Amino acid sequence: TKRWGVTVTPDALVAALRRGRQRGEVAPMVPVVVPGQVPEVAAVPAPAAAPEPDPLAEAYQQHEERVERRSEKKQIAALLEENTRLKAEAAELRAFRSKAPEILVYDKAKEHRADAIACAIASDWHVEETVDKASVHGLNEYNLEIAKSRAEHFFRNLLRLTDMMARDSQITTIYIAMLGDFFSGWIHEELLAACSLAPGDAARFCKGLWVSGIDFLLRESSYVIDADAIPGNHGRMTKQVHFSDPTGTSLETVMYESIADRYWNNPRVRINVSSQAMVYRRMFERFVIRLCHGYEMKFGGGVGGITIPVRKAIAQWNNGVRADLTAFGHFHQKHDGGDFLCNSSLIGYNLYAQNIKAGFEEPTQTFWLTVARNGGQKSLTAPIWLDDAHRAGKEQAA
């Protein structure tokens, strides 16, 4: 103080040190020494106590660490397993590539011939009814000569289909379901003008077609001819169908009996002329066929077609006698419903079909194969064409 010429009192020095300590210019631990006074030491705050650890948090952290370690171990094990699999596949691939290709020598399949029966539905021929070509806009034509031709093609193509099936099956029998309406008769007034023969003459003409066809099958093959004959509704000799005796009041029954009498002593021909409108025939161990003409099922031309009334009728009939297959005609349309077969017609599209707005169909009959599998099953189903158009198309393509 003497050097600078400034006199500093102890109190001023203490005040200056305090101000410097407050501003951070003087360390707080530096004691302030004033002559004649006890040194003053600044108080040092005690260190804060460390927080006590939370046992729950520590346990959770340890659990997480263990889970993470286990997950890492699983990933490592999975990677090692995948690596081992890939090494094995690579080794197999190297071994496969190093081997020569294996040449297999196939043996010809051994011939296996299963028992089967060739079956056909014949119905709705209406042989004496005339269809003028112009009246149906060229879609069809029918007369006695065309009826002869179509009947001939029925028997010829039935035999052809049977021979085709016999290449892989043991077939000894051709079964024919004769389901009626082979002639139209005079059951409606309009048929007096539409038919070219009277009912008795039509029955005799139709008998000639059947005799010719059966003789053809006997002559050109070694098959047994088995048949069930049921009259339709057109062959009746009454105004309405007599449900109590539909066969005894039908001219078709007389025709059937006459055909059966012709072959009564031929062991290869068996014609069962039914005394009922519905027949059940069993084939093999369990396959049951229900046969009827089809007039028993009433169809009013609904949107669903014949399927609905047919299904209703089959369900009711099965409550009495169950059948695996129901075969019928009457509706002049081809339909395979799985457990039923509706046959088409020989006459084909005519004015009646046009007036009831029926769809056009080619004249056909129905063929199906009954095989011995599982005690009897319906197998292949095919149309029996009534002309040679399929052959002409094949020759034209060649």
Side-chain angles (χ1 to χ4, degrees):
T1 57
K2 290 180 179 182
R3 181 179 178 182
W4 302 98
V6 179
T7 302
V8 181
T9 62
D11 292 336
L13 182 59
V14 170
L17 291 171
R18 286 177 178 172
R19 287 194 299 273
R21 189 183 302 121
Q22 291 174 354
R23 292 194 296 269
E25 298 174 356
V26 180
M29 298 301 298
V30 178
V32 180
V33 181
V34 180
Q37 292 186 359
V38 179
E40 184 176 313
V41 180
V44 179
E52 295 183 0
D54 185 359
L56 183 60
E58 288 184 356
Y60 181 76
Q61 183 178 359
Q62 293 173 2
H63 172 72
E64 291 293 328
E65 292 174 353
R66 288 194 298 270
V67 170
E68 186 176 355
R69 286 195 297 272
R70 285 197 297 268
S71 178
E72 290 177 354
K73 289 180 180 179
K74 289 181 179 180
Q75 291 179 7
I76 293 171
L79 289 174
L80 291 174
E81 183 180 354
E82 179 69 10
N83 186 50
T84 302
R85 186 185 65 81
L86 292 175
K87 285 182 178 180
E89 289 185 357
E92 290 179 1
L93 184 60
R94 286 194 296 271
F96 176 77
R97 287 179 175 175
S98 63
K99 290 174 58 178
E102 183 179 3
I103 305 300
L104 302 177
V105 179
Y106 297 115
D107 295 331
K108 183 179 179 180
K110 295 181 180 179
E111 184 179 2
H112 177 71
R113 298 171 66 84
D115 290 335
I117 299 174
C119 305
I121 303 175
S123 71
D124 301 282
W125 288 13
H126 299 278
V127 293
E128 84 280 27
E129 190 173 335
T130 302
V131 177
D132 181 58
K133 189 174 183 179
S135 66
V136 290
H137 312 286
L139 293 175
N140 187 31
E141 185 179 11
Y142 197 65
N143 51 46
L144 293 177
E145 290 303 316
I146 294 176
K148 283 182 182 180
S149 174
R150 291 180 183 177
E152 178 185 355
H153 281 88
F154 166 74
F155 291 105
R156 285 173 52 189
N157 290 332
L158 168 58
L159 180 58
R160 180 170 175 266
L161 286 170
T162 303
D163 287 340
M164 290 170 60
M165 297 300 104
R167 295 172 188 172
D168 294 316
S169 301
Q170 182 65 45
I171 298 177
T172 60
T173 301
I174 294 177
Y175 173 76
I176 304 175
M178 303 167 65
L179 301 186
D181 278 6
F182 291 105
F183 49 88
S184 295
W186 286 348
I187 62 171
H188 303 305
E189 186 176 354
E190 63 186 69
L191 291 175
L192 292 171
C195 292
S196 56
L197 294 174
D201 295 330
R204 186 173 57 183
F205 176 82
C206 190
K207 174 192 172 182
L209 299 181
W210 274 101
V211 170
S212 300
I214 295 173
D215 286 347
F216 165 79
L217 295 176
L218 293 174
R219 183 178 66 252
E220 300 296 330
S221 75
S222 59
Y223 302 114
V224 172
I225 312 303
D226 198 359
D228 281 304
I230 299 172
N233 58 304
H234 271 265
R236 67 181 185 263
M237 296 178 288
T238 56
K239 186 176 181 180
Q240 300 294 334
V241 175
H242 281 206
F243 291 100
S244 59
D245 187 14
T247 59
T249 56
S250 174
L251 193 58
E252 277 184 316
T253 302
V254 179
M255 180 189 74
Y256 292 152
E257 293 286 1
S258 179
I259 298 172
D261 288 344
R262 180 182 177 87
Y263 299 101
W264 71 271
N265 63 343
N266 191 322
R268 290 179 55 200
V269 180
R270 300 189 297 261
I271 298 177
N272 172 40
V273 181
S274 175
S275 59
Q276 303 296 328
M278 185 175 291
V279 172
Y280 289 88
R281 166 65 72 105
R282 189 180 71 180
M283 294 185 178
F284 300 111
E285 289 82 10
R286 67 160 191 85
F287 190 69
V288 178
I289 304 172
R290 178 187 293 115
L291 304 170
C292 61
H293 175 69
Y295 61 76
E296 299 86 351
M297 294 170 275
K298 303 302 180 184
F299 172 55
V303 177
I306 66 170
T307 303
I308 295 174
V310 169
R311 289 288 178 204
K312 291 171 64 176
I314 290 175
Q316 294 299 321
W317 290 332
N318 281 344
N319 287 332
V321 180
R322 185 188 175 281
D324 300 288
L325 177 67
T326 300
F328 56 94
H330 185 64
F331 296 104
H332 292 209
Q333 57 182 279
K334 178 172 76 270
H335 195 114
D336 182 357
D339 61 347
F340 72 83
L341 286 173
C342 180
N343 192 38
S344 186
S345 67
L346 199 85
I347 185 174
Y349 196 73
N350 59 5
L351 279 174
Y352 176 75
Q354 181 176 276
N355 290 335
I356 66 171
K357 303 176 182 63
F360 171 77
E361 276 194 12
E362 274 192 87
T364 60
Q365 300 286 267
T366 303
F367 175 91
W368 88 89
L369 193 68
T370 301
V371 296
R373 174 186 172 90
N374 296 327
Q377 286 182 327
K378 176 171 77 76
S379 180
L380 177 144
T381 305
I384 301 176
W385 303 115
L386 304 177
D387 54 29
D388 284 328
H390 60 288
R391 294 181 180 273
K394 187 176 181 180
E395 293 171 359
Q396 184 177 0

